[in-house]
Amino acid sequence: MARITLKPTENQNFILLGGDFAKTLELAHQQESDGNFEAACNTRYQAFQQIVDVLPEEEPAELDFLHPNTRAAIEIIYGSAVDNFLAGDVELSAAQLELLLDSDSEDHIEATPQLALCYIALEEWECLSDILPDLGDKSAFRPMVEALAEYARKGNISADTIAALRRHRHLSEELAREEHPADEEYLKDISSERPTQQALAREIYLRCEPLFVQYEGFLDMFK
């Protein structure tokens, strides 16, 4: 990989030069398509390490999301954070996502929901409270996060919290299913321009799956 440098722009932010992160991102996607998920994770993490080496430690450097190479680097950081969350290294995942939000304050890639899951897994309740308003009120993800956090803290979920989540019918139905396959049909649906509500609900389920393992009994509340 070519030498990476951080260059200031006239827009008061920075771009990343070198590295050809779009090519790296494409390689990781190809490795996943070939079923070589470990290689894809390693590709993203190695690129992440090279990115973080050029970012300043003293204060955040706002990255230019409109710059193609820099945008690909942002996507790599996010992808690596998801990899680590799914692998169980939640502290590293949270650190990567916090770095990402420091570098992309407008959160173009929507890293905040994934960070919320990390904070639940780490039981960092004050940190979760700080970012909860950024999840928005309309998506099904926020009531999902609130239900998980309540169960993690109390071992139960209030009727009001369950009712709020059940208002999102497709997600409620997904939680009650016995199987949640990430099969070819699902992958085609979720990658389309307009994914169905069923596919979006399954995506939320799959993102939260490590927490269902950590907090055994949560899903029984929706059977």
Side-chain angles (χ1 to χ4, degrees), residues 147-179:
L148 276 164
E150 189 172 328
Y151 188 84
R153 298 181 75 172
K154 301 178 181 179
N156 209 334
I157 308 174
S158 70
D160 287 345
T161 301
I162 290 178
L165 199 150
R166 287 195 186 281
R167 283 196 284 272
H168 299 270
R169 178 174 62 86
H170 295 288
L171 179 56
S172 180
E173 291 175 352
E174 187 67 32
L175 295 176
R177 295 183 192 277
E178 293 298 327
E179 296 183 352

Side-chain angles (χ1 to χ4, degrees), residues 44-135:
R44 282 188 285 261
Y45 188 65
Q46 289 168 8
F48 162 74
Q49 289 179 307
Q50 295 188 324
I51 295 165
V52 77
D53 281 347
V54 302
L55 295 178
E57 296 182 4
E58 300 78 16
E59 59 183 28
E62 184 73 21
L63 298 178
D64 184 356
F65 188 76
L66 298 178
H67 181 255
N69 194 56
T70 307
R71 180 171 64 249
I74 288 172
E75 292 179 16
I76 286 170
I77 297 172
Y78 177 75
S80 182
V82 172
D83 292 339
N84 285 310
F85 177 77
L86 295 175
D89 196 341
V90 183
E91 289 189 8
L92 176 55
S93 179
Q96 289 177 299
L97 293 166
E98 288 169 347
L99 171 68
L100 182 54
L101 288 168
D102 283 343
S103 303
D104 179 28
S105 59
E106 294 186 26
D107 195 12
H108 293 91
I109 205 165
E110 297 186 357
T112 301
Q114 187 65 42
L115 183 57
L117 298 182
C118 289
Y119 286 153
I120 293 173
L122 296 169
E123 300 189 349
E124 295 281 357
W125 306 124
E126 289 187 9
C127 294
L128 179 63
S129 295
D130 288 342
I131 67 171
L132 201 58
D134 297 330
L135 296 182

Side-chain angles (χ1 to χ4, degrees), residues 197-218:
Q197 291 299 312
Q198 291 91 337
L200 292 171
R202 182 157 302 175
E203 181 183 44
I204 292 176
Y205 178 94
L206 294 172
R207 290 178 68 180
C208 297
E209 199 164 27
L211 293 176
F212 301 150
V213 176
Q214 181 173 345
Y215 297 108
E216 186 180 359
F218 174 83

